[in-house]
Amino acid sequence: MNREGSKESRNESMVVTPWEVGGVIDYDRLLKEFGIHPFSEIIDKVPDPMHLMRRGLIFGHRDYDRIVEAMRSSKKWAVMSGFMPSGLPHFGHKMTMDEIVWHQRAGGFAHVAVADMEAHAVRGMSWEKVKKIGKLYLKSIAALGLKPRNCIMYFQSSANFVKDLAFELSSEVNWSELKAIYGFSSETTLAKMFVTSVQAADILHPQLSRFDGPKPVVVPVGADQDPHLRLTRDLAARVSIFAFEKIEGGVRIRSRKGNSYLRDLEKELSFEFKSYAEHIDVFGDYGEIVELVRKTEVEMGGFAFIPPSSTYHRFITGLTGGKMSSSKPESYISLFDDPKTAAKKVKRAITGGKGSAEEQRKFGGEPGKCAVFELFSIHLIKKDEELEEIKNRCKNGEQLCGQCKKLASQLVEEFLKDFQEKVESVNLGDYEIIC
Ligand code: TRP
Ligand code: SF4
């Protein structure tokens, strides 16, 4: 397959695409190649940031400024992400779920998609199976704290407004673009191509008028999903009527759907402006002008989509080293594992420790390369000081891997027991759910 011009990140040592992740991940390179901004650049502005942000586990973002601004004002905003039900939810999915829950608590309206169309098209799974597993994802996020208020959950295949929007968006995407972004080949099925538009529709649907129109939306994902976000941000602009460009003292506005829209827009402008055949220059505050134009576009029947924001978290390492994979049960902890079995898996995990206790006391361990320490920092230890202490003790050779494993397996067992009890008591009927 010819991958030239492809925007995916791939060389001998690292592969990051929506359908394949492998090798040693170089996060700085990912930021540069994908054009993602480091999260460290914005964290100081985030009110009471969550542990994944504080610990650098969420390492990148696009346009998160827009979300911070919305959090600080009383404007409406949303958080949306999706899960492909191709296997049981595991600790990797929990990370995204925790992010959705955190954003809902911070004031966002939460939209949760079960990507059953994607699982069917890409993984060849039966509808029956994806429905059954999909419900476990929804029960899981509910058990992790997602509240029924300010929330909607849906299966892609049941949400007609998503499928209709996907069709609309697909008319702006052509074959060479798909090939460049996803590396598709002549063997790729039409369904696999179409689910990329369905995902774009997942991401943009919170801005439909049935959800109160254009608004900032943040999509928490792993960096492998960034190609979808780049395409969606582009599509958001392409299907909307008006385009904005900053000029001295204001905004230049063009229409993508014919200049008659410009003439209609002029009638609604409460700002000083200059009219040209192909554009209008409007003078005043950028934000206020754009907001008014978007509102007018919606009244005209347009989408007026705001490009979605996103955050990117690190890939969770498998317990056995390498990547966490649903085809290797030893490599991950499923949220539905028997708690005792999960505890045993932790005991067998690969650590950043040395070959012998003696060596480790002398040279210290490497928490940065340790699957157990990763479990602590992503999932098991909430207090920063406690985590910091383990890290320092490890580096100084004061902590041995046995102690860590004992603690981690205890915490995993307790967590899973409690989580699975909560799942039992979840009533999906309390939620707005389209399935
Ligand atoms: N493609 C995603 C995955 O493989 C799942 C997904 C579907 C998604 N729709 C989405 C993620 C919308 C973020 C936003 O996990
Ligand atoms: Fe990991 Fe703990 Fe061993 Fe350090 S002591 S390498 S943190 S398991």
Side-chain angles (χ1 to χ4, degrees), residues 75-88:
K75 284 186 196 141
K76 289 192 175 158
W77 60 281
V79 54
M80 120 50 57
S81 197
F83 302 92
M84 174 158 67
S86 56
L88 289 175

Side-chain angles (χ1 to χ4, degrees), residues 333 339-348 372 375-376 380 402-416:
I333 301 170
K340 289 224 154 32
T341 315
K344 281 194 198 127
K345 281 188 195 173
V346 174
K347 291 233 166 90
R348 286 196 291 266
V372 177
L375 271 179
F376 285 148
L380 300 176
Q403 298 168 282
C404 274
K405 285 185 171 176
K406 195 166 158 222
L407 176 61
S409 55
Q410 248 170 24
L411 291 174
V412 162
E413 192 176 329
E414 277 165 28
F415 168 79
L416 286 182

Side-chain angles (χ1 to χ4, degrees), residues 44-57:
D44 289 342
K45 296 190 194 140
V46 181
D48 203 3
M50 80 180 294
H51 71 288
L52 297 173
M53 299 170 174
R54 296 196 306 269
R55 297 175 187 175
L57 298 162

Side-chain angles (χ1 to χ4, degrees), residues 80-84 115 118 156 199 202-203 219 221 225:
M80 120 50 57
S81 197
F83 302 92
M84 174 158 67
E118 184 180 1
Q156 288 174 330
Q199 180 151 348
D202 284 334
I203 295 171
V219 187
V221 282
Q225 298 294 307

Side-chain angles (χ1 to χ4, degrees), residues 30-48:
L30 269 186
L31 292 177
K32 275 200 205 93
E33 274 178 27
F34 284 174
I36 298 171
H37 290 261
F39 202 82
S40 56
E41 166 195 290
I42 195 168
I43 187 161
D44 289 342
K45 296 190 194 140
V46 181
D48 203 3

Side-chain angles (χ1 to χ4, degrees), residues 335 337-340 411-423:
L335 296 176
D337 271 352
D338 164 58
K340 289 224 154 32
L411 291 174
V412 162
E413 192 176 329
E414 277 165 28
F415 168 79
L416 286 182
K417 257 198 207 135
D418 176 63
F419 169 82
Q420 290 168 9
E421 268 169 32
K422 282 189 183 137
V423 166

